[in-house]
Amino acid sequence: HRVDRRQRQMCIRDSRQALFDLLESAVGEVFPGCVALVWRDGATLYHEAHGEVATHRWIPAEGKPVVREQIYDLASLTKILCTTSIAALAVSEGALELDAPVPEPWSAGCPGATLADLLEHCSGYAAHREYFNEVEPYSADHILEKIVATPPDYPLRSKAVYSDLGFMVLGRWLEQTYGRSLDVLFSDKVMLALGLDDKPIPHLGFYPLHGNPPPPRPHLGRIAPTEIYDPDLHPGGVPSHFDVRKNAAVAHGFVHDDNAYVWGGVAGHAGLFGTAHGVLEVAKSWLMNLLPGLTPAVRDRFWQPSTVAGSTRRLGWDGSSPDGSGTAGHAVTQAAVGHTGYTGTSLWVDPNAEGGPTICVLLSNRVHPVRTNTAIKAFRPKFHEAAFQL
């Protein structure tokens, strides 16, 4: 038994070192830096910071090492941690039903669609539109008008098309249902409920942009900057999204997603910032049925695979690809659920992982200094393969 235990300990050390080396090799190539966290069956197996917060000369934190409590722009992890969590609570509480039709006037862009269709990304809404170049900041209502005027992109439930538009509408629908803004709903129904609201470093939260000047950015020194709006970094021509940031040289404490920025920083599809620990705690609340008000039956329903042909989606969450082509590769089981964020973030929860239920978090600012670095796509499966080997 002592030999077996020693061998297991050596395997754990070897796999930890392999994960550490993989993440170190990605610094400077995939992202400036990152925080990775792996939790299994009640124990944190890995929680390390790698690389630098920023690399561009315009950033005071240039060359500063990443710390475990680094705050990152979570991008589309907002969809599951915030919007999907609140939607699931609304269903659990009876405030909404999954078969409830999308209200007018938003239904113009998704005729016949329901709450479940929005969550499964099969409502007919287009994937993305550059509304940020059509309205002035901060104009959530004007963006909603643009969404309403955008015709359906495909027939309802004929396929799955990952859509920011659907989650923008979903966020506003939840605000209308409860009569509170999405950031307040998230703070009250998720953070306060989990005891994560009163901490020296905010584990998760929004940074609204309304007001002149906008509200202060607390803990700015702990937030990793994302994109640099430097024309010199784009010798082929200035990108279309630069006009939105006329008064900003960098997205630092301001949401990176351009539509979310013009929306006002608090949107259903993007806008949430946080630490790896914060992401883990919300993921654990889903896995272990710890989120007050979320019934086990509703949790299970939200994790059921979509019946749309070819879809890997659940309700809000994504699932693994049978052929291993997804962001988690072959590392997770078919029971796993997860999501990614454009800025270089990801979360996977596997209830049936070998060794026990496992949660894997990766936060980075791969869009620093520019969003054109897409090395994260090839890196994510490698990371998850190594992380789930711990």
Side-chain angles (χ1 to χ4, degrees), residues 36 44 49 61 88 108 133-134 139 141 147 174 178 184 253 274 288-289 299 303 310-311 329 340 343 348 350 379:
T44 298
N133 280 328
E134 301 175 20
S139 310
D141 288 340
I147 293 175
L174 292 168
Y178 284 106
V184 173
M288 303 171 68
N289 289 305
R299 192 288 305 270
W303 280 3
S311 177
T340 61
T343 52
W348 277 95
D350 193 344
F379 177 76

Side-chain angles (χ1 to χ4, degrees), residues 30 325-327 342 366 373-382:
V30 179
S325 61
T327 59
Y342 186 81
R366 71 96 191 163
N373 178 11
T374 60
I376 190 76
K377 293 180 180 179
F379 177 76
R380 278 178 173 139
K382 297 177 184 177

Side-chain angles (χ1 to χ4, degrees), residues 29 36 46 60 133 135-136 170 217-218 232 242 299 362:
E29 297 293 331
Y46 192 93
N133 280 328
V135 301
E136 291 294 322
L170 177 54
R217 314 284 97 181
D232 291 342
F242 265 45
R299 192 288 305 270
L362 177 65

Side-chain angles (χ1 to χ4, degrees), residues 152-193:
D153 198 50
Y154 58 93
L156 176 66
R157 297 193 70 84
S158 63
K159 59 181 177 179
V161 175
Y162 177 66
S163 174
D164 281 352
L165 277 61
F167 265 73
M168 291 182 209
V169 167
L170 177 54
R172 177 52 63 89
W173 189 359
L174 292 168
E175 290 179 330
Q176 185 184 80
T177 299
Y178 284 106
R180 286 176 280 171
S181 63
L182 200 62
D183 55 336
V184 173
L185 284 171
F186 179 71
S187 177
D188 290 348
K189 295 180 120 356
V190 179
M191 298 301 287
L192 179 63

Side-chain angles (χ1 to χ4, degrees), residues 19 22-24 26-27 30-31 33-39 46-50 66 70 72-75 77 81 274-277 279-280 327 339-348 359-366 375-384 387-388:
L19 178 58
L22 176 68
L23 289 162
E24 286 290 303
V27 171
V30 179
F31 36 61
C34 72
V35 176
L37 194 159
V38 182
W39 176 97
Y46 192 93
H47 188 189
E48 297 294 343
H50 300 264
V66 177
Q70 202 75 49
Y72 283 95
D73 181 334
L74 302 179
L77 292 191
L81 299 174
T275 65
H277 177 75
V279 175
L280 172 69
T327 59
H339 214 283
T340 61
Y342 186 81
T343 52
T345 60
S346 63
L347 165 65
W348 277 95
I359 298 172
C360 185
V361 180
L362 177 65
L363 304 186
S364 79
N365 53 341
R366 71 96 191 163
I376 190 76
K377 293 180 180 179
F379 177 76
R380 278 178 173 139
K382 297 177 184 177
F383 165 73
H384 291 106
F388 276 87

Side-chain angles (χ1 to χ4, degrees), residues 43-245:
T44 298
L45 305 183
Y46 192 93
H47 188 189
E48 297 294 343
H50 300 264
E52 300 174 354
V53 174
T55 58
H56 194 275
R57 65 188 186 282
W58 289 0
I59 305 298
E62 179 189 4
K64 183 179 177 181
V66 177
V67 296
R68 292 176 181 173
E69 296 79 23
Q70 202 75 49
I71 300 171
Y72 283 95
D73 181 334
L74 302 179
S76 284
L77 292 191
T78 304
K79 290 183 175 75
I80 53 169
L81 299 174
C82 172
T83 313
T84 299
S85 292
I86 297 171
L89 288 168
V91 173
S92 293
E93 296 165 2
L96 286 174
E97 296 180 354
L98 287 172
D99 60 359
V102 176
E104 295 181 348
W106 311 320
S107 57
C110 58
T114 65
L115 173 62
D117 297 326
L118 291 184
L119 287 161
E120 287 183 45
H121 296 276
C122 61
S123 66
Y125 272 128
H128 177 72
R129 291 289 186 271
E130 291 191 355
Y131 298 127
F132 55 83
N133 280 328
E134 301 175 20
V135 301
E136 291 294 322
Y138 303 101
S139 310
D141 288 340
H142 291 165
I143 291 180
L144 283 166
E145 291 172 3
K146 295 289 184 181
I147 293 175
V148 169
T150 301
D153 198 50
Y154 58 93
L156 176 66
R157 297 193 70 84
S158 63
K159 59 181 177 179
V161 175
Y162 177 66
S163 174
D164 281 352
L165 277 61
F167 265 73
M168 291 182 209
V169 167
L170 177 54
R172 177 52 63 89
W173 189 359
L174 292 168
E175 290 179 330
Q176 185 184 80
T177 299
Y178 284 106
R180 286 176 280 171
S181 63
L182 200 62
D183 55 336
V184 173
L185 284 171
F186 179 71
S187 177
D188 290 348
K189 295 180 120 356
V190 179
M191 298 301 287
L192 179 63
L194 294 177
L196 297 172
D197 60 315
D198 185 21
K199 304 295 177 184
I201 298 297
H203 286 308
L204 294 169
F206 290 90
Y207 291 97
L209 292 161
H210 299 290
N212 188 20
R217 314 284 97 181
H219 308 288
L220 186 63
R222 192 58 63 90
I223 302 172
T226 51
E227 190 164 6
I228 303 291
Y229 304 107
D230 181 358
D232 291 342
L233 297 175
H234 299 273
V238 175
S240 63
H241 61 273
F242 265 45
D243 285 344
V244 182
R245 313 286 180 147

Side-chain angles (χ1 to χ4, degrees), residues 209-374:
L209 292 161
H210 299 290
N212 188 20
R217 314 284 97 181
H219 308 288
L220 186 63
R222 192 58 63 90
I223 302 172
T226 51
E227 190 164 6
I228 303 291
Y229 304 107
D230 181 358
D232 291 342
L233 297 175
H234 299 273
V238 175
S240 63
H241 61 273
F242 265 45
D243 285 344
V244 182
R245 313 286 180 147
K246 295 175 183 176
N247 299 319
V250 58
H252 189 195
F254 299 91
V255 62
H256 176 261
D257 181 274
D258 302 304
N259 279 331
Y261 178 82
V262 174
W263 187 283
V266 182
H269 71 295
L272 195 63
F273 286 72
T275 65
H277 177 75
V279 175
L280 172 69
E281 289 303 310
V282 177
K284 281 168 58 180
S285 76
W286 275 80
L287 174 66
M288 303 171 68
N289 289 305
L290 297 175
L291 183 58
L294 178 59
T295 66
V298 170
R299 192 288 305 270
D300 292 346
R301 173 65 184 90
F302 269 64
W303 280 3
Q304 285 180 11
S306 171
T307 58
V308 172
S311 177
T312 59
R313 296 286 161 184
R314 274 64 171 162
L315 293 175
W317 298 80
D318 198 7
S320 60
S321 299
D323 61 359
S325 61
T327 59
H330 293 282
V332 298
T333 71
Q334 290 301 298
V337 296
H339 214 283
T340 61
Y342 186 81
T343 52
T345 60
S346 63
L347 165 65
W348 277 95
V349 181
D350 193 344
N352 294 347
E354 184 178 355
T358 303
I359 298 172
C360 185
V361 180
L362 177 65
L363 304 186
S364 79
N365 53 341
R366 71 96 191 163
V367 293
H368 177 86
V370 292
R371 65 179 68 181
T372 50
N373 178 11
T374 60

